[in-house]
Short mmCIF file of all heavy atoms in Angstrom, two decimals:
data_model
loop_
_atom_site.label_atom_id
_atom_site.label_comp_id
_atom_site.label_asym_id
_atom_site.label_seq_id
_atom_site.Cartn_x
_atom_site.Cartn_y
_atom_site.Cartn_z
N ASP O 1 65.04 210.38 6.55
CA ASP O 1 65.48 211.33 7.58
C ASP O 1 66.13 210.59 8.74
O ASP O 1 66.73 211.35 9.57
CB ASP O 1 64.36 212.19 8.01
CG ASP O 1 63.85 213.13 6.89
OD1 ASP O 1 64.54 213.23 5.90
OD2 ASP O 1 62.85 213.81 7.12
N THR O 2 65.98 209.29 8.85
CA THR O 2 66.58 208.58 9.97
C THR O 2 68.05 208.53 9.91
O THR O 2 68.78 208.43 10.93
CB THR O 2 66.08 207.17 10.12
OG1 THR O 2 66.50 206.41 8.91
CG2 THR O 2 64.55 207.13 10.22
N HIS O 3 68.62 208.56 8.75
CA HIS O 3 70.10 208.42 8.44
C HIS O 3 70.73 207.17 9.10
O HIS O 3 71.87 207.25 9.55
CB HIS O 3 70.86 209.68 8.95
CG HIS O 3 70.32 210.98 8.28
ND1 HIS O 3 70.56 211.28 7.01
CD2 HIS O 3 69.57 211.94 8.75
CE1 HIS O 3 70.02 212.41 6.67
NE2 HIS O 3 69.41 212.82 7.76
N MET O 4 69.97 206.11 9.23
CA MET O 4 70.52 204.87 9.78
C MET O 4 71.45 204.24 8.78
O MET O 4 71.24 204.39 7.63
CB MET O 4 69.33 203.92 10.00
CG MET O 4 68.52 204.18 11.18
SD MET O 4 67.36 202.81 11.45
CE MET O 4 66.63 203.39 13.06
N THR O 5 72.39 203.48 9.35
CA THR O 5 73.32 202.87 8.48
C THR O 5 73.53 201.36 8.90
O THR O 5 74.06 200.56 8.05
CB THR O 5 74.77 203.53 8.45
OG1 THR O 5 75.22 203.61 9.87
CG2 THR O 5 74.67 204.91 7.92
N LYS O 6 73.20 200.98 10.06
CA LYS O 6 73.36 199.60 10.50
C LYS O 6 72.21 198.77 9.87
O LYS O 6 71.04 198.93 10.08
CB LYS O 6 73.29 199.44 12.01
CG LYS O 6 74.63 200.04 12.68
CD LYS O 6 74.69 199.74 14.08
CE LYS O 6 75.97 200.30 14.56
NZ LYS O 6 76.18 200.09 16.01
N LYS O 7 72.57 197.66 9.19
CA LYS O 7 71.70 196.82 8.48
C LYS O 7 70.66 196.26 9.37
O LYS O 7 69.40 196.24 9.05
CB LYS O 7 72.46 195.62 7.85
CG LYS O 7 71.63 194.65 7.01
CD LYS O 7 72.48 193.58 6.48
CE LYS O 7 71.50 192.56 5.96
NZ LYS O 7 72.14 191.21 5.68
N GLU O 8 70.95 195.81 10.55
CA GLU O 8 69.94 195.10 11.46
C GLU O 8 68.90 196.09 11.84
O GLU O 8 67.74 195.76 11.93
CB GLU O 8 70.67 194.58 12.69
CG GLU O 8 71.68 193.43 12.36
CD GLU O 8 72.98 193.96 11.83
OE1 GLU O 8 73.36 195.14 12.10
OE2 GLU O 8 73.71 193.13 11.17
N ARG O 9 69.31 197.31 12.12
CA ARG O 9 68.41 198.34 12.54
C ARG O 9 67.48 198.81 11.50
O ARG O 9 66.23 198.97 11.64
CB ARG O 9 69.14 199.65 13.08
CG ARG O 9 69.75 199.35 14.45
CD ARG O 9 70.35 200.54 15.07
NE ARG O 9 71.05 200.31 16.30
CZ ARG O 9 71.71 201.09 17.00
NH1 ARG O 9 71.83 202.38 16.53
NH2 ARG O 9 72.24 200.76 18.12
N ILE O 10 67.94 198.89 10.26
CA ILE O 10 67.18 199.29 9.06
C ILE O 10 66.18 198.21 8.79
O ILE O 10 65.00 198.44 8.52
CB ILE O 10 68.12 199.47 7.85
CG1 ILE O 10 69.01 200.77 8.07
CG2 ILE O 10 67.26 199.62 6.59
CD1 ILE O 10 70.07 200.88 6.98
N GLU O 11 66.58 196.96 8.96
CA GLU O 11 65.64 195.78 8.74
C GLU O 11 64.52 195.83 9.67
O GLU O 11 63.35 195.67 9.30
CB GLU O 11 66.35 194.46 8.79
CG GLU O 11 67.24 194.19 7.59
CD GLU O 11 68.10 192.86 7.80
OE1 GLU O 11 68.10 192.32 8.89
OE2 GLU O 11 68.67 192.51 6.79
N LYS O 12 64.78 196.03 10.96
CA LYS O 12 63.73 196.11 11.97
C LYS O 12 62.85 197.32 11.72
O LYS O 12 61.58 197.18 11.83
CB LYS O 12 64.37 196.21 13.34
CG LYS O 12 65.00 194.99 13.77
CD LYS O 12 65.67 195.08 15.25
CE LYS O 12 66.37 193.85 15.59
NZ LYS O 12 67.07 194.03 16.83
N LEU O 13 63.37 198.49 11.38
CA LEU O 13 62.60 199.63 11.14
C LEU O 13 61.63 199.40 9.95
O LEU O 13 60.48 199.81 9.87
CB LEU O 13 63.37 200.94 11.00
CG LEU O 13 62.66 202.15 10.67
CD1 LEU O 13 61.76 202.55 11.80
CD2 LEU O 13 63.79 203.32 10.55
N MET O 14 62.18 198.79 8.84
CA MET O 14 61.48 198.52 7.66
C MET O 14 60.29 197.60 8.00
O MET O 14 59.21 197.87 7.48
CB MET O 14 62.32 197.93 6.61
CG MET O 14 63.20 198.83 5.76
SD MET O 14 62.22 200.02 4.89
CE MET O 14 61.48 199.03 3.73
N GLY O 15 60.47 196.63 8.83
CA GLY O 15 59.37 195.74 9.20
C GLY O 15 58.30 196.55 9.97
O GLY O 15 57.07 196.42 9.63
N VAL O 16 58.67 197.34 10.88
CA VAL O 16 57.73 198.14 11.66
C VAL O 16 56.95 199.07 10.70
O VAL O 16 55.73 199.31 10.72
CB VAL O 16 58.44 198.93 12.85
CG1 VAL O 16 57.43 199.95 13.45
CG2 VAL O 16 58.89 197.95 13.88
N LEU O 17 57.70 199.79 9.89
CA LEU O 17 57.10 200.76 8.91
C LEU O 17 56.18 200.06 7.89
O LEU O 17 55.06 200.61 7.53
CB LEU O 17 58.12 201.54 8.18
CG LEU O 17 58.95 202.52 9.09
CD1 LEU O 17 59.97 203.19 8.27
CD2 LEU O 17 58.11 203.49 9.68
N ALA O 18 56.48 198.85 7.44
CA ALA O 18 55.61 198.15 6.57
C ALA O 18 54.31 197.82 7.18
O ALA O 18 53.23 197.93 6.59
CB ALA O 18 56.31 196.89 5.97
N VAL O 19 54.34 197.37 8.40
CA VAL O 19 53.07 197.03 9.19
C VAL O 19 52.28 198.34 9.40
O VAL O 19 51.07 198.35 9.14
CB VAL O 19 53.39 196.34 10.51
CG1 VAL O 19 52.27 196.23 11.35
CG2 VAL O 19 54.04 194.92 10.26
N ALA O 20 52.97 199.36 9.78
CA ALA O 20 52.28 200.68 9.98
C ALA O 20 51.68 201.17 8.70
O ALA O 20 50.48 201.62 8.71
CB ALA O 20 53.27 201.74 10.48
N PHE O 21 52.34 201.00 7.53
CA PHE O 21 51.80 201.45 6.29
C PHE O 21 50.54 200.59 6.04
O PHE O 21 49.51 201.16 5.58
CB PHE O 21 52.72 201.22 5.12
CG PHE O 21 52.21 201.44 3.79
CD1 PHE O 21 52.02 202.65 3.31
CD2 PHE O 21 51.85 200.30 3.05
CE1 PHE O 21 51.46 202.81 1.95
CE2 PHE O 21 51.18 200.43 1.83
CZ PHE O 21 51.06 201.74 1.27
N ALA O 22 50.63 199.30 6.21
CA ALA O 22 49.43 198.41 5.99
C ALA O 22 48.26 198.79 6.77
O ALA O 22 47.12 198.87 6.32
CB ALA O 22 49.88 196.97 6.22
N LEU O 23 48.48 199.15 8.03
CA LEU O 23 47.45 199.55 8.87
C LEU O 23 46.84 200.85 8.51
O LEU O 23 45.59 201.05 8.45
CB LEU O 23 47.95 199.68 10.36
CG LEU O 23 48.33 198.28 11.03
CD1 LEU O 23 48.91 198.53 12.35
CD2 LEU O 23 47.17 197.35 11.15
N CYS O 24 47.63 201.83 8.16
CA CYS O 24 47.23 203.13 7.68
C CYS O 24 46.40 202.94 6.35
O CYS O 24 45.30 203.58 6.12
CB CYS O 24 48.40 204.14 7.36
SG CYS O 24 49.20 204.59 8.82
N TYR O 25 46.91 202.09 5.45
CA TYR O 25 46.26 201.92 4.15
C TYR O 25 44.76 201.28 4.43
O TYR O 25 43.84 201.79 3.85
CB TYR O 25 47.03 201.00 3.33
CG TYR O 25 46.57 200.85 1.92
CD1 TYR O 25 46.96 201.84 0.92
CD2 TYR O 25 45.69 199.81 1.50
CE1 TYR O 25 46.48 201.66 -0.40
CE2 TYR O 25 45.24 199.75 0.21
CZ TYR O 25 45.62 200.70 -0.77
OH TYR O 25 45.18 200.59 -1.97
N ARG O 26 44.81 200.24 5.25
CA ARG O 26 43.51 199.63 5.52
C ARG O 26 42.54 200.68 6.26
O ARG O 26 41.35 200.57 5.94
CB ARG O 26 43.74 198.38 6.41
CG ARG O 26 42.34 197.87 6.81
CD ARG O 26 42.32 196.49 7.49
NE ARG O 26 42.41 195.51 6.47
CZ ARG O 26 42.55 194.30 6.83
NH1 ARG O 26 42.66 193.92 8.07
NH2 ARG O 26 42.58 193.34 5.84
N ARG O 27 43.02 201.30 7.14
CA ARG O 27 42.23 202.26 7.90
C ARG O 27 41.57 203.24 6.94
O ARG O 27 40.35 203.51 7.06
CB ARG O 27 42.97 202.99 8.98
CG ARG O 27 42.22 204.00 9.85
CD ARG O 27 41.30 203.24 10.74
NE ARG O 27 40.52 204.22 11.48
CZ ARG O 27 39.42 204.04 12.13
NH1 ARG O 27 39.04 202.73 12.15
NH2 ARG O 27 38.80 204.99 12.71
N GLY O 28 42.37 203.79 6.03
CA GLY O 28 41.76 204.75 5.12
C GLY O 28 40.83 204.13 4.17
O GLY O 28 39.83 204.76 3.86
N LYS O 29 41.10 202.93 3.70
CA LYS O 29 40.23 202.20 2.82
C LYS O 29 38.81 201.85 3.48
O LYS O 29 37.86 202.00 2.73
CB LYS O 29 40.92 200.99 2.24
CG LYS O 29 40.21 200.34 1.14
CD LYS O 29 41.15 199.34 0.44
CE LYS O 29 40.58 198.86 -0.90
NZ LYS O 29 41.45 198.23 -1.70
N ASN O 30 38.94 201.44 4.67
CA ASN O 30 37.67 201.07 5.30
C ASN O 30 36.65 202.22 5.42
O ASN O 30 35.51 201.90 5.66
CB ASN O 30 37.97 200.49 6.73
CG ASN O 30 38.56 199.05 6.66
OD1 ASN O 30 38.38 198.45 5.62
ND2 ASN O 30 39.34 198.61 7.63
N HIS O 31 37.19 203.43 5.45
CA HIS O 31 36.28 204.54 5.56
C HIS O 31 35.88 205.12 4.23
O HIS O 31 35.19 206.26 4.17
CB HIS O 31 36.92 205.53 6.57
CG HIS O 31 36.83 205.12 7.91
ND1 HIS O 31 35.73 205.26 8.71
CD2 HIS O 31 37.74 204.42 8.65
CE1 HIS O 31 35.93 204.73 9.95
NE2 HIS O 31 37.12 204.22 9.93
N GLY O 32 36.22 204.51 3.15
CA GLY O 32 35.70 204.93 1.85
C GLY O 32 36.26 206.21 1.29
O GLY O 32 35.64 206.88 0.42
N TYR O 33 37.50 206.60 1.67
CA TYR O 33 38.03 207.82 1.16
C TYR O 33 38.51 207.63 -0.25
O TYR O 33 38.72 206.48 -0.69
CB TYR O 33 39.19 208.24 2.09
CG TYR O 33 38.81 208.64 3.38
CD1 TYR O 33 39.14 207.93 4.52
CD2 TYR O 33 38.06 209.85 3.66
CE1 TYR O 33 38.81 208.26 5.76
CE2 TYR O 33 37.67 210.17 4.91
CZ TYR O 33 38.05 209.39 5.97
OH TYR O 33 37.71 209.73 7.26
N ARG O 34 38.68 208.73 -0.94
CA ARG O 34 39.16 208.51 -2.43
C ARG O 34 40.50 207.87 -2.44
O ARG O 34 41.33 208.00 -1.63
CB ARG O 34 39.31 209.96 -2.96
CG ARG O 34 37.88 210.57 -3.25
CD ARG O 34 37.90 212.01 -3.77
NE ARG O 34 39.23 212.25 -4.52
CZ ARG O 34 39.83 213.43 -4.46
NH1 ARG O 34 39.28 214.36 -3.76
NH2 ARG O 34 40.91 213.67 -5.12
N ALA O 35 40.72 207.13 -3.51
CA ALA O 35 41.88 206.29 -3.66
C ALA O 35 43.20 207.06 -3.38
O ALA O 35 44.16 206.48 -2.77
CB ALA O 35 41.95 205.65 -5.03
N LYS O 36 43.36 208.32 -3.92
CA LYS O 36 44.53 208.87 -3.76
C LYS O 36 44.85 209.42 -2.36
O LYS O 36 46.02 209.84 -1.96
CB LYS O 36 44.75 210.08 -4.69
CG LYS O 36 43.87 211.29 -4.47
CD LYS O 36 44.14 212.38 -5.46
CE LYS O 36 43.52 213.61 -5.19
NZ LYS O 36 43.75 214.69 -6.12
N SER O 37 43.90 209.44 -1.49
CA SER O 37 44.14 209.88 -0.12
C SER O 37 43.85 208.79 0.92
O SER O 37 43.91 209.06 2.12
CB SER O 37 43.21 211.10 0.20
OG SER O 37 41.82 210.67 0.14
N ILE O 38 43.82 207.56 0.43
CA ILE O 38 43.63 206.48 1.44
C ILE O 38 44.62 206.34 2.52
O ILE O 38 44.31 206.38 3.72
CB ILE O 38 43.49 205.15 0.69
CG1 ILE O 38 42.18 204.92 -0.13
CG2 ILE O 38 43.69 203.94 1.62
CD1 ILE O 38 42.20 203.73 -0.99
N PHE O 39 45.87 206.43 2.10
CA PHE O 39 46.93 206.34 3.05
C PHE O 39 46.92 207.48 4.05
O PHE O 39 47.03 207.31 5.27
CB PHE O 39 48.28 206.26 2.42
CG PHE O 39 49.42 206.37 3.37
CD1 PHE O 39 49.82 205.21 4.05
CD2 PHE O 39 50.11 207.54 3.60
CE1 PHE O 39 50.89 205.24 5.02
CE2 PHE O 39 51.11 207.60 4.46
CZ PHE O 39 51.51 206.54 5.22
N ARG O 40 46.81 208.76 3.49
CA ARG O 40 46.92 209.88 4.33
C ARG O 40 45.68 209.93 5.46
O ARG O 40 45.98 210.10 6.58
CB ARG O 40 46.82 211.16 3.48
CG ARG O 40 46.68 212.52 4.25
CD ARG O 40 47.87 212.70 5.22
NE ARG O 40 49.06 212.73 4.56
CZ ARG O 40 50.28 212.63 5.20
NH1 ARG O 40 50.27 212.58 6.56
NH2 ARG O 40 51.35 212.56 4.59
N LYS O 41 44.56 209.57 4.93
CA LYS O 41 43.35 209.57 5.86
C LYS O 41 43.52 208.47 6.89
O LYS O 41 43.23 208.67 8.05
CB LYS O 41 42.09 209.32 5.06
CG LYS O 41 41.68 210.48 4.18
CD LYS O 41 41.43 211.74 4.96
CE LYS O 41 40.93 212.86 4.02
NZ LYS O 41 40.67 214.04 4.72
N GLY O 42 44.07 207.37 6.50
CA GLY O 42 44.34 206.25 7.40
C GLY O 42 45.35 206.61 8.45
O GLY O 42 45.21 206.33 9.61
N MET O 43 46.51 207.28 8.01
CA MET O 43 47.54 207.67 8.88
C MET O 43 47.00 208.66 9.89
O MET O 43 47.38 208.59 11.05
CB MET O 43 48.69 208.19 8.16
CG MET O 43 49.94 208.45 8.92
SD MET O 43 51.37 208.72 7.95
CE MET O 43 52.56 209.13 9.21
N GLU O 44 46.30 209.63 9.48
CA GLU O 44 45.67 210.70 10.34
C GLU O 44 44.84 210.02 11.39
O GLU O 44 44.83 210.39 12.53
CB GLU O 44 45.05 211.79 9.55
CG GLU O 44 45.95 212.61 8.82
CD GLU O 44 45.23 213.50 7.77
OE1 GLU O 44 43.91 213.47 7.70
OE2 GLU O 44 45.91 214.27 7.05
N SER O 45 43.94 209.17 10.89
CA SER O 45 43.08 208.39 11.85
C SER O 45 43.81 207.58 12.85
O SER O 45 43.42 207.68 14.11
CB SER O 45 42.16 207.53 11.02
OG SER O 45 41.22 206.72 11.83
N LEU O 46 44.72 206.84 12.41
CA LEU O 46 45.60 206.03 13.37
C LEU O 46 46.34 206.93 14.32
O LEU O 46 46.34 206.65 15.50
CB LEU O 46 46.51 205.12 12.63
CG LEU O 46 45.94 203.82 12.07
CD1 LEU O 46 47.01 203.00 11.36
CD2 LEU O 46 45.38 203.01 13.15
N HIS O 47 46.91 207.97 13.87
CA HIS O 47 47.67 208.86 14.74
C HIS O 47 46.78 209.43 15.83
O HIS O 47 47.03 209.51 16.96
CB HIS O 47 48.25 210.03 13.94
CG HIS O 47 49.03 210.97 14.78
ND1 HIS O 47 48.53 212.13 15.25
CD2 HIS O 47 50.40 210.91 15.15
CE1 HIS O 47 49.41 212.71 15.97
NE2 HIS O 47 50.55 212.08 15.85
N ARG O 48 45.46 209.80 15.48
CA ARG O 48 44.50 210.39 16.37
C ARG O 48 44.17 209.34 17.41
O ARG O 48 44.16 209.53 18.56
CB ARG O 48 43.30 210.82 15.61
CG ARG O 48 42.28 211.49 16.40
CD ARG O 48 41.02 212.05 15.58
NE ARG O 48 40.34 210.93 14.93
CZ ARG O 48 40.34 210.68 13.68
NH1 ARG O 48 40.96 211.48 12.89
NH2 ARG O 48 39.63 209.72 13.14
#
């Protein structure tokens, strides 16, 4: 949905999003949620 086209900006955003994903994944996993919802629970927790 970002509709970015500049390579440099896409690379920076991908780096930030990859770190955010890793944090969400770890956050969800640390709280023992079911495997299919690990990311979602982690993302909701981090957002809160």
Side-chain angles (χ1 to χ4, degrees):
D1 292 351
T2 64
H3 302 291
M4 286 186 173
T5 56
K6 291 190 176 180
K7 180 184 173 194
E8 297 79 20
R9 290 183 181 178
I10 292 171
E11 287 174 352
K12 287 178 185 175
L13 181 59
M14 281 296 293
V16 170
L17 292 178
V19 169
F21 171 81
L23 293 174
C24 291
Y25 190 87
R26 171 169 282 172
R27 180 72 182 164
K29 192 166 188 166
N30 286 338
H31 286 278
Y33 296 110
R34 290 180 21 218
K36 72 177 188 180
S37 64
I38 285 174
F39 172 80
R40 175 57 56 195
K41 294 295 183 180
M43 186 168 177
E44 289 169 358
S45 177
L46 278 178
H47 182 266
R48 186 176 63 250

